[in-house]
Amino acid sequence: MLRSFTNLALGVSVLSALGTLAIAPTASAFTFNGSGIEIGTKDAGTSFKVNFDGNVSTKNVIGLSSEAIFKFLGFTTVGSKTEAAFEITLDNTSSDGITSRTSALGFNVNQTLVGVGGASGSGNTRSSGIFTNDMSGSFPNQFGAVDVCFTSGNTCQGGKNGGVKTADSPGKFSSTLAFSGNVQSFTLSNFGVRYQSIDGNGFKGDSGTGRGIPVQPEPPKPPTKHVPEPSSTAALVVLGAGLLYGRKKRSELA
């Protein structure tokens, strides 16, 4: 009798385990602090988005907008320096009769960058893709200074014809931030973009700027229970019953 009860308990335990299996939630990446975002070693391979508004002559322009997705690729040690690499996808999302060109993207960094505006080799801040120049300077329209901007022009003010237009597909560029020493975390803030070739709704070839707000990812969803298929449950019940029946018959013949 004791063995029969043990077999039954084992079968119930198996069914219980199958009915309560859950998928562990994915941990949230990055640390959001107001308009800034802290990035560390744990965030390698994850992404965050920044939404940009738009203004001309310090006045907000409805429909003038951009979006950037930052994918952090991780840290690399280069001699006595540390590099932090990103793949950035930039999209000009202007709408409501407005078209424009996003010709530069910049931000502040809470640690001193190495090589901004200078040599672009290993161990220095650099960029490649739709933006090939890294500069320090300011965005106009009273936006103010940024620690680094990426552009195809010679200043953060823009210039030339580089960047992403409203009709274009999203463009990508690789940006590498270089620091002195061993760096395992840093904070980005004061995100901004430069607009040029603004047309529509009374604008004709105007220029402007936009401020960016990092978008915090949605929290992970709670785990969901895995319910076994009816056929699997029935098979286990039949198996348990068979074991009990076999045990009973052997007891009668003994």
Side-chain angles (χ1 to χ4, degrees):
M1 181 67 180
L2 177 60
R3 291 182 179 178
S4 298
F5 178 78
T6 301
N7 289 336
L8 178 60
L10 177 60
V12 172
S13 297
V14 171
L15 288 173
S16 176
L18 286 173
T20 57
L21 286 177
I23 300 173
T26 304
S28 296
F30 307 109
T31 301
F32 288 77
N33 182 15
S35 61
I37 179 168
E38 182 180 343
I39 300 167
T41 54
K42 63 180 177 60
D43 302 316
T46 56
S47 304
F48 65 92
K49 182 171 68 172
V50 180
N51 290 331
F52 297 89
D53 62 10
N55 72 84
V56 175
S57 300
T58 71
K59 294 182 179 180
N60 183 60
V61 176
I62 296 175
L64 183 59
S65 62
S66 292
E67 173 186 292
I69 297 176
F70 289 67
K71 182 177 182 180
F72 179 52
L73 304 180
F75 292 102
T76 302
T77 300
V78 180
S80 61
K81 301 175 182 178
T82 301
E83 293 185 349
F86 288 90
E87 180 184 79
I88 302 176
T89 302
L90 178 64
D91 192 13
N92 182 304
T93 55
S94 296
S95 60
D96 296 332
I98 294 289
T99 60
S100 63
R101 175 169 55 92
T102 308
S103 60
L105 182 152
F107 44 77
N108 285 348
V109 188
N110 71 331
Q111 300 196 43
T112 302
L113 294 172
V114 177
V116 176
S120 60
S122 179
N124 292 289
T125 299
R126 58 192 184 275
S127 179
S128 62
I130 60 168
F131 294 143
T132 55
N133 296 335
D134 57 279
M135 312 296 297
S136 61
S138 300
F139 286 139
N141 298 330
Q142 298 183 12
F143 185 101
V146 290
D147 291 330
V148 63
C149 74
F150 300 99
T151 180
S152 295
N154 296 321
T155 70
C156 294
Q157 307 295 321
K160 298 187 177 181
N161 294 313
V164 181
K165 299 177 182 179
T166 304
D168 293 342
S169 298
K172 291 186 178 183
F173 66 102
S174 299
S175 68
T176 300
L177 307 180
F179 308 95
S180 295
N182 181 21
V183 174
Q184 297 185 356
S185 67
F186 58 95
T187 299
L188 302 183
S189 61
N190 195 34
F191 295 89
V193 291
R194 171 68 163 157
Y195 294 110
Q196 293 181 278
S197 306
I198 302 172
D199 291 315
N201 297 349
F203 297 102
K204 188 174 182 179
D206 290 86
S207 61
T209 55
R211 290 189 180 275
I213 300 296
V215 179
Q216 188 165 0
E218 294 183 1
K221 295 181 179 179
T224 56
K225 292 183 179 181
H226 171 71
V227 180
E229 295 181 1
S231 58
S232 300
T233 304
L236 288 170
V237 171
V238 171
L239 176 62
L243 289 172
L244 290 176
Y245 179 77
R247 176 69 65 180
K248 182 179 179 180
K249 293 295 289 182
R250 285 195 296 272
S251 297
E252 291 175 352
L253 294 174

